[in-house]
C-alpha cells in the first residue's frame, strides 16, 4: 500500500481527544506499520463532508473515519459506489457500528486492524437519497434527539442528562404518528409511537438491543408498535427487558428490501445514525446490498 491513508476526525466526537496530541499519536501508530497517514480534523459536519469528498477524489485507497456513528455514517455515505475502502477509529460515545463489526475500541488495536487491511462488503440503507449504516426512525426517537440537543445548547447539560430529560418530556407528549406502510407484500395503515428501520436485523432483548449479528444479508428490518398510550409503551419496555419483545401481539417486525412510509404531514423529523433531519413524506427506504467495503478484524471474515 503506497498511497497515504486519509483520516477524517470529528473534533466534537464523544471522547474529546486533544487534536494535536491525537494527530501525533496516530502518525506514530501508522508509521509503526510503515504507513503514511494524512489527518484532517473536522470542526463541523460540513467539514466532514468537504474532507471526505476531497479524499474520494484523491488516489487514497483507504479513507478512515474517526468519531461516533454519525461521523462514520457521513464518511461512509460518500464512499458508497466508489472503489474506496472505509477504515474506522471509534471515538464516539456508543460506537454501535464498529462494535457490530467487532472492531476493537482501543486505539492502537483499531489502528492495527486498519493496517492489516482485511476487508468485507456490507449493506447500507437509503431513504430519499440519504445513506445510513445503522438505522433510521420516525416518531419518538428523533423528537427525543431534537429536544436533547436543545437541552445541551440552552442549559449546558451533558449528553446523558439531556437525553433523560428529553425522553421524559417527549413520552409525556406522545408524538404518535399515523403511517401507511407499503411494500411488495401490500400496505397497512397504523398509529404508532415509532417506526424503526434497521440496516440488517437487530437483537430485540434488553442486554443485546442495538446489536446485529450481520450487516450483509440484504434486508431492512422494520419494527413498529400498533398500540398507543402509556400502557402500550410500558408493556413494550417490560417485554424488552425480559427478551420477549417479538412475542408482543402489538409489536410487529418485517424484513424487506424496500418500503415506503407515508405520513399525513408533508414533512417529518427523521433520525439517521443518531442525527436528525426534516424530510418530505413519503419516505422511500431501500437496501443497497454489499455496497460498502469496510476494514474489519481478520476473524470476522
Amino acid at each position: 500500500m503506497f498511497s497515504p491513508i486519509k483520516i477524517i476526525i470529528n473534533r466534537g466526537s464523544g471522547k474529546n481527544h486533544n487534536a494535536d496530541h491525537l494527530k501525533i499519536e496516530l502518525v506514530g501508530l501508522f508509521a509503526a506499520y510503515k504507513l503514511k497517514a494524512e489527518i484532517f480534523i473536522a470542526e463541523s459536519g460540513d467539514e466532514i463532508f468537504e474532507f471526505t469528498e476531497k479524499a474520494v477524489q484523491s488516489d487514497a485507497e483507504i479513507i478512515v473515519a474517526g468519531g461516533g456513528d454519525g461521523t462514520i455514517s457521513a464518511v461512509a455515505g460518500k464512499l458508497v459506489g466508489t472503489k474506496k475502502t472505509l477504515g474506522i477509529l471509534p471515538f464516539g460515545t456508543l460506537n454501535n457500528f464498529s462494535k457490530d463489526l467487532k472492531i476493537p475500541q482501543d486505539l492502537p488495536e483499531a489502528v492495527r486492524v486498519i493496517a492489516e487491511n482485511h476487508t468485507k462488503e456490507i449493506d447500507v440503507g437509503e431513504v430519499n437519497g440519504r445513506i445510513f449504516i445503522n438505522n433510521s426512525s420516525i416518531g419518538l426517537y428523533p423528537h427525543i434527539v431534537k429536544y436533547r440537543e436543545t437541552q445541551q445548547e440552552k442549559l449546558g447539560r451533558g449528553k446523558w442528562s439531556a437525553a433523560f430529560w428529553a425522553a421524559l418530556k417527549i413520552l409525556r407528549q406522545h408524538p404518535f404518528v399515523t403511517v401507511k406502510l407499503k411494500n411488495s407484500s401490500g400496505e397497512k395503515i397504523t398509529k404508532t409511537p415509532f417506526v424503526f428501520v434497521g440496516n440488517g436485523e437487530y437483537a430485540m432483548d434488553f442486554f443485546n438491543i442495538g446489536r446485529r449479528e450481520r450487516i450483509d444479508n440484504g434486508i431492512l428490518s422494520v419494527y413498529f408498535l400498533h398500540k398507543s398510550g402509556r400502557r402500550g409503551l410500558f408493556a413494550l419496555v417490560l417485554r424488552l427487558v425480559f427478551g420477549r419483545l417479538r412475542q408482543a401481539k402489538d409489536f410487529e417486525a418485517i424484513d424487506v428490501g424496500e418500503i415506503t412510509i407515508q405520513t399525513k404531514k408533508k414533512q417529518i423529523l427523521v433520525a439517521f445514525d443518531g442525527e436528525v433531519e426534516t424530510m418530505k413524506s413519503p419516505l422511500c427506504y431501500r437496501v443497497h446490498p454489499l455496497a460498502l467495503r469496510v476494514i474489519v478484524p481478520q476473524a470476522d471474515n
Side-chain angles (χ1 to χ4, degrees), residues 254-268:
I254 56 176
D255 293 335
V256 298
E258 297 183 6
I259 191 167
T260 298
I261 302 174
Q262 188 166 2
T263 64
K264 291 181 178 179
K265 293 183 178 180
K266 293 183 178 180
Q267 293 188 323
I268 187 169

Side-chain angles (χ1 to χ4, degrees), residues 271-289:
F272 314 84
D273 298 330
E275 307 295 324
V276 175
E277 183 179 316
T278 300
M279 300 194 80
K280 292 182 179 180
S281 177
L283 303 173
C284 300
Y285 285 90
R286 62 173 174 155
V287 65
H288 293 274

